[in-house]
Amino acid sequence: MSNGLMDDKGMGERAADDSSGSVHDADGIVGGSSGSAGFGGPEDFSSTEVAGGGLDEAEAREGAGGVRLVGPHFANVNEFLRDYLRFAYRRRIDGRNRVWAGRWWLYDEAVLRLDSIWRAWESLRLDPDTGMSVWFRDHADPHMAVLMDPDGPFAGATSEEDVNRRGDPLPYMEPPEDMFFDWSAG
């Protein structure tokens, strides 16, 4: 049964081009190994511009039938977390009431949840009306609540690199180079 974004196998389905030239595309599902490295490949991570979407030329390219295909804004989940999400969620992480791991990539469930948050953001950012509200309500807030829960995937992460002060970005350590595929490389 399809929910409009996903087909029966969990793969994105592509809507046909309408007369206005707007197309919504939910491709770009996580693939690859079950470990924390090697998520996905360049099979088809493209979204299309929503009318009035305000995309820069570096993000857009011409596709079949004149449809403007839009690549991801962030190259991968690491770039999304490093440059955006950890600043959007400025929460005090004390290792007791809320937890986080600076070395987040070592936790498979966390990588899967963060990757899901990133991919949803990439799709919903193209909706100029309620996209970000839907992203917070349906994707970011539920996943972040699980990630920060003391019984969640980061349980026990209490070293100095895993805590912060109120108002600081979430703790972050750079993962090993080439751990995550660069979707922007085309």
Side-chain angles (χ1 to χ4, degrees):
M1 150 161 84
S2 175
N3 65 10
L5 292 178
M6 308 297 271
D7 64 18
D8 295 315
K9 297 180 182 86
M11 302 301 288
E13 63 185 0
R14 183 169 305 187
D17 186 12
D18 65 17
S19 61
S20 70
S22 295
V23 179
H24 299 276
D25 180 335
D27 285 348
I29 306 305
V30 174
S33 70
S34 61
S36 60
F39 284 91
E43 290 82 28
D44 187 23
F45 191 105
S46 59
S47 297
T48 53
E49 183 172 30
V50 173
L55 301 164
D56 65 34
E57 289 302 315
E59 291 181 308
R61 64 186 187 281
E62 197 71 26
V67 174
R68 289 178 60 101
L69 301 176
V70 180
H73 181 79
F74 294 103
N76 53 43
V77 65
N78 176 54
E79 187 176 292
F80 174 72
L81 177 61
R82 182 190 67 218
D83 297 344
Y84 179 77
L85 190 65
R86 70 192 201 101
F87 296 99
Y89 276 86
R90 292 177 183 260
R91 305 288 194 278
R92 180 172 175 246
I93 305 295
D94 62 9
R96 290 183 310 275
N97 300 308
R98 272 194 204 106
V99 296
W100 190 262
R103 296 177 191 272
W104 56 275
W105 70 92
L106 296 176
Y107 301 81
D108 289 341
E109 179 185 352
V111 171
L112 291 169
R113 287 181 179 278
L114 289 166
D115 193 78
S116 296
I117 294 169
W118 166 58
R119 290 172 188 275
W121 185 90
E122 289 289 356
S123 177
L124 290 167
R125 73 183 173 97
L126 300 175
D127 177 348
D129 297 321
T130 60
M132 287 297 95
S133 180
V134 170
W135 176 75
F136 273 109
R137 184 195 67 208
D138 294 350
H139 303 281
D141 286 345
H143 284 297
M144 293 300 284
V146 170
L147 288 167
M148 292 184 192
D149 189 290
D151 292 324
F154 294 140
T158 57
S159 73
E160 189 66 29
E161 68 189 23
D162 300 324
V163 296
N164 69 356
R165 294 185 309 255
R166 177 172 289 142
D168 287 348
L170 294 174
Y172 173 83
M173 303 289 292
E174 190 74 29
E177 192 174 335
D178 297 329
M179 180 174 237
F180 297 98
F181 182 81
D182 182 348
W183 290 88
S184 65

